[in-house]
Amino acid sequence: MPFVEPITLTDRGVRLEPLALSHEAGLRTAAADGQLWTLRVTSVPEPENTRKYIEDALRMRDDGNRFAFAVVDDATGEVLGTTSYHDILSTVKRVEIGYTWYRKSVQRSHVNTTCKLLMMGHAFDTLGCHVVGWRTDNFNFASQQAIERLGAKKDGVIRGHALRRDGTIRDTVMYSMRAGEWPEAKAQLLYLLERRTLTE
């Protein structure tokens, strides 16, 4: 039995459902909102590579290394982006959250915070994870700030760790949160979401 089993998670109008080939058109449209594949520090697929992107994610799911979700507007069914559990280590009950991107029109909205709340809650409260981790490009400062807002702690930097899409070699910034830190982080995320709702 896989450590991460298929599940659909919903909250605040956002639905996380297992990524499938049926999401191909929606994911391509989401990436086109802002031409996200042109960004140097992300791994958003070019339109013609969207199907392969999904097939690769499904293959990694079969191998037990990654579980990808489509991020969907629960009211309209519109695909907003994607996010994943990855580097899944069932023996030590650790997952990382990544492969995350959203169409430009919902960036800086409640969507990312809601997704992280759902995924962290499922990881800690249902899967019983001891640690949840994140990694990002050393030049992706927006991602680093977003991870730090979640309450994650910076573990360090792995130098010369991976290739970017333009062929340059990136350093990877690593973050993590332990199970004991989750209750306070959850309270803060709920506070931020409630405050956003009150001000919108």
Side-chain angles (χ1 to χ4, degrees):
M1 180 181 297
F3 184 56
V4 180
E5 296 186 78
I7 190 169
T8 297
L9 306 169
T10 59
D11 191 23
R12 301 172 194 269
V14 177
R15 184 171 76 246
L16 298 180
E17 59 188 35
L19 185 66
L21 290 173
S22 59
H23 294 113
E24 180 183 357
L27 211 60
R28 188 184 299 116
T29 301
D33 182 353
Q35 294 189 325
L36 303 178
W37 62 87
T38 64
L39 300 176
R40 180 170 177 258
V41 293
T42 66
S43 57
V44 180
E46 297 86 350
E48 66 274 14
N49 292 329
T50 304
R51 186 176 184 85
K52 182 181 183 303
Y53 181 90
I54 297 173
E55 289 173 343
D56 289 346
L58 295 178
R59 187 163 45 252
M60 293 173 78
R61 180 190 300 174
D62 290 341
D63 292 340
N65 299 324
R66 177 181 171 194
F67 192 97
F69 294 94
V71 180
V72 179
D73 183 305
D74 201 30
T76 66
E78 180 182 51
V79 176
L80 306 178
T82 183
T83 188
S84 298
Y85 291 124
H86 66 95
D87 284 77
I88 297 167
L89 300 174
S90 59
T91 53
V92 295
K93 293 191 174 181
R94 174 190 168 102
V95 298
E96 293 186 32
I97 296 174
Y99 294 90
T100 301
W101 55 269
Y102 308 103
R103 59 193 313 141
K104 186 174 182 180
S105 57
V106 301
Q107 293 175 15
R108 298 169 110 27
S109 72
H110 74 290
V111 170
N112 182 54
T113 304
T114 300
C115 287
K116 294 302 186 294
L117 186 66
L118 286 167
M119 295 182 75
M120 293 161 70
H122 185 66
F124 286 122
D125 300 334
T126 302
L127 300 178
C129 286
H130 300 306
V131 177
V132 172
W134 294 263
R135 61 181 70 188
T136 189
D137 190 293
N138 61 303
F139 282 121
N140 194 341
F141 303 116
S143 176
Q144 292 172 47
Q145 290 171 359
I147 294 169
E148 289 169 7
R149 276 197 302 271
L150 298 173
K153 303 294 189 293
K154 185 175 178 180
D155 295 322
V157 179
I158 305 175
R159 302 180 67 187
H161 184 238
L163 283 175
R164 298 188 182 93
R165 66 193 315 138
D166 64 2
T168 58
I169 300 174
R170 82 174 204 183
D171 295 346
T172 298
V173 187
M174 302 292 295
Y175 292 88
S176 67
M177 180 183 295
R178 299 184 69 89
E181 298 164 335
W182 165 235
E184 178 62 20
K186 178 180 180 180
Q188 177 65 8
L189 290 175
L190 287 170
Y191 168 76
L192 291 173
L193 283 169
E194 290 297 334
R195 190 175 66 172
R196 176 180 289 276
T197 300
L198 289 172
T199 57
E200 284 177 349

